[in-house]
Amino acid sequence: MTTTLLRGRTLSFLRWPETADDHSAYSYEEDGGLLIRDGRIAAAGPWAEVEKQAGEGAQRIDHRPHLILPGFIDAHVHFPQMQVIASYGAELLDWLNTYTFPEETRFRDAQHGRRIARLFLDEMVRQGTTTVSAYCSVHKASAEAFFEESHARDMLNIAGKVMMDRNAPEGLLDTPQSGYDDTVALIEDWHGKGRQHYAITPRFAITSSPQQLEMAGALAARFPELHVQTHLSENHAEIAFTQELYPWAKDYTDIYAQYGLLGRKTLLGHCIHLSEREADVLSDTGSVAVFCPTSNLFLGSGLFDYQRYRRRDKPLRIATATDVGGGTNYSMLRTMDEGYKVIALNGEKLNPFQSFWQITLGNAQALSLADRIGTLAPGTDADIVVLDCAATPGMRLRMERAGSLAEELFLLQTLGDDRAVREVYVAGRPAKSDMATPAEG
Ligand code: GUN
Ligand code: ZN
């Protein structure tokens, strides 16, 4: 039995913080302790109390004066798009056709998939992200590569091979039947193996025929405990083309509704241009709208109205995500910095406690995984990030004038990136300091 005892400033959310003064929404210990046994959090609280519970043999790691938080969660990311980031000058559909689809065809080579899966999860760890919901390519081997790498690291990740049978290059198409069969085989091989979760992943309505969406719905009915992930209402040209392809549908959301793809385990990337009717349907079904600010700005897709969605009579469940490679940064700190600006452009604010709630407990709740990840609560998995608010000269200087925890968090979000991530624990084991030379080969 391995036992580790961490010391530092621990911060873990209990619920959504209504305001920056809503101190009962989180637990914060200036001199905190975290006891980790066999990959789980055994105790958390004031150092003096937690230390008493640790046996003689516990490995002690002192992270003072740094902050210790639950690992970050990225609710929507495309691991085959690492070499698509920073592709110039296109909106969604051109960007897909010009850059993304050709790049994803390279994943027919299993060796390439294994290399990128390794580099991708290295990058996640470097950035403090301990759980992702990932899109793989259409190729079954890309999902196998992802899960092999994730399982070897004992990470809790969600992933699925994308199902796509039209409106893409030949090398990137499955069929309704092969998409179904490959998905079932992957579920049988990987879902529930260690910490792996499978997500049924029809890419979006444009690249799936009605027959394929029907098959995706059949999968969702056959495996109701699984996540479903897809894209919805990202860009005006996408919405118009989708309506042409499904003329009988009331709107874009109605397509997924009619095929039985909505529900509390459904993660819908973007959801920028929803009508009130569509937002009601998402709310009624408990489906999750995934906010991807760096992507939405980079592709010029639009401004996700976070606070309106949250405050409406029928509120939406919301997650946040990078959406790499439409997204331009792997860091959830950078993501929330851009998110703050998008929300500001909508005339609203997201306070720093709300931001850090969102990328920890908020995303865990949106993924229906808050019993396992997203907090420092005893009994949950020890996926942890250690953050240094003075990681760069500029941050150090700004810290001289930061007088409260809220200010420190906002500084971390506004100026921080992977350099602020001092250590990451995955299932209780140091993962960042243990990494070989970062992101090579
Ligand atoms: N819609 C369908 N596929 C994609 C994708 O890979 N990225 C983004 N941003 N939107 C999509
Ligand atoms: Zn996406």
Side-chain angles (χ1 to χ4, degrees), residues 32 101 216 233 246 263:
F101 289 161
S233 197
Y246 292 89

Side-chain angles (χ1 to χ4, degrees), residues 103-167:
E103 181 63 27
E104 289 193 13
T105 60
R106 299 177 65 207
F107 287 75
R108 64 178 173 267
D109 172 7
Q111 187 64 28
H112 178 66
R114 283 194 287 274
R115 172 173 182 248
I116 301 297
R118 175 170 54 80
L119 295 176
F120 176 79
L121 290 176
D122 274 355
E123 188 59 30
M124 290 302 103
V125 167
R126 278 180 4 84
Q127 302 283 355
T129 297
T130 48
T131 290
V132 299
S133 188
Y135 287 64
C136 305
S137 76
V138 71
H139 314 94
K140 182 169 175 256
S142 75
E144 285 163 347
F146 182 91
F147 282 123
E148 274 160 22
E149 190 64 41
S150 173
H151 184 55
R153 294 166 190 246
D154 205 10
M155 289 180 84
L156 194 166
N157 283 315
I158 305 168
K161 147 210 145 55
V162 293
M163 303 167 73
M164 50 194 293
D165 68 346
R166 65 170 172 180
N167 290 319

